[in-house]
Amino acid sequence: MSVSTKKLGLNLLALTLLSSSAAFARTGSQSAVLQKTVERVESAIAAGEEPVVIFDLDDTLFDSRSRKIAVLRAFARQAEIQEEFPIEASRLLELTLKDIHYGLNSTLEEAGITSPEFVAAAHKYFTAHFFSNESVRIDRNIAGGVEFVNQLKQLGAVIVYLTGRDEPRMGPGSKDALVASDLPLDGSKAILKLKPDLTIDDTEFKKDTFAA
């Protein structure tokens, strides 16, 4: 089934770009967005249509900061890193979730870490471990997301998880995380769309999948 069965998903894509901490807040403007989505699903169902609602995963349904901080701490705990870069390693181990930014460079810079050698080693380790089946299983859910997705599914919407994650490195782990979080995933009415290859651009993949 094409994910563009109905263009209801187009409206919800804007929600995926909002701050993770507020994406499913039930107050203010966010509450209005969520309620409008529910109403559009109900309206489509009443008209005999099959609405499709599209969600991203990272920083929409899952808070990727929990994965980032776990990877950075594992990197900093390595004996060779602590021996060669004791100050930088200590600063990484002191980080909390609020210190984690979208980009790794921003996180390191704010922590006062500027050593080119350390930064390069951190990037190499981060890339190898952040984008992995093992790491995605430790992501925390963003509050309210599981309930909202299940509410839409129960109303009769088709749920599509459209992500820039790729199947070879992150497929099994992403599926495990969805199931463990009680997010629906059945392959027909709740579908996970992953990039088949890591070299595909995230934005282009999402655009192409939505337009298919």
Side-chain angles (χ1 to χ4, degrees):
M1 183 192 73
S2 169
V3 298
S4 57
T5 303
K6 291 292 172 185
K7 294 301 181 180
L8 183 61
L10 181 60
N11 179 63
L12 194 59
L13 283 179
L15 181 65
T16 70
L17 302 178
L18 298 176
S19 169
S20 62
S21 62
F24 299 100
R26 295 290 178 165
T27 59
S29 60
Q30 283 300 88
S31 179
V33 171
L34 300 179
Q35 184 56 38
K36 182 65 174 179
T37 303
V38 170
E39 291 172 358
R40 293 188 68 186
V41 167
E42 292 175 329
S43 177
I45 295 296
E49 300 173 345
E50 187 176 55
V52 175
V53 184
I54 300 175
F55 291 89
D56 203 337
L57 292 184
D58 293 316
D59 301 313
T60 299
L61 295 175
F62 294 99
D63 187 345
S64 69
R65 293 178 305 166
S66 52
R67 186 180 358 144
K68 290 173 181 175
I69 200 168
V71 171
L72 290 175
R73 285 173 176 170
F75 168 70
R77 289 192 183 105
Q78 295 179 104
E80 60 271 28
I81 293 299
Q82 294 200 359
E83 181 178 349
E84 187 173 357
F85 305 100
I87 295 175
E88 290 85 352
S90 177
R91 288 178 179 174
L92 277 192
L93 292 173
E94 292 171 354
L95 295 178
T96 63
L97 281 182
K98 66 180 179 61
D99 300 316
I100 303 299
H101 297 278
Y102 179 80
L104 179 56
N105 282 337
S106 296
T107 297
L108 296 177
E109 288 172 5
E110 188 167 294
I113 297 172
T114 57
S115 164
E117 295 81 7
F118 184 88
V119 170
H123 270 280
K124 183 177 180 180
Y125 185 95
F126 187 88
T127 300
H129 293 83
F130 180 77
F131 303 100
S132 70
N133 286 304
E134 293 74 18
S135 291
V136 296
R137 293 186 177 100
I138 65 175
D139 281 350
R140 298 179 182 177
N141 294 113
I142 290 176
V146 173
E147 294 80 6
F148 186 62
V149 172
N150 278 289
Q151 178 185 5
L152 298 179
K153 178 70 162 51
Q154 290 166 8
L155 288 173
V158 173
I159 303 299
V160 175
Y161 307 107
L162 181 56
T163 175
R165 298 179 182 185
D166 61 87
E167 175 66 43
R169 297 182 300 173
M170 308 172 79
S174 296
K175 295 166 189 173
D176 289 347
L178 288 167
V179 173
S181 301
D182 293 324
L183 284 161
L185 182 66
D186 58 24
S188 59
K189 300 296 184 180
I191 305 162
L192 174 61
K193 301 293 290 185
L194 297 146
K195 297 191 304 184
D197 188 285
L198 64 90
T199 61
I200 300 172
D201 179 76
D202 290 2
T203 301
E204 291 305 314
F205 170 72
K206 293 175 182 179
K207 287 180 179 178
D208 292 345
T209 300
F210 186 74

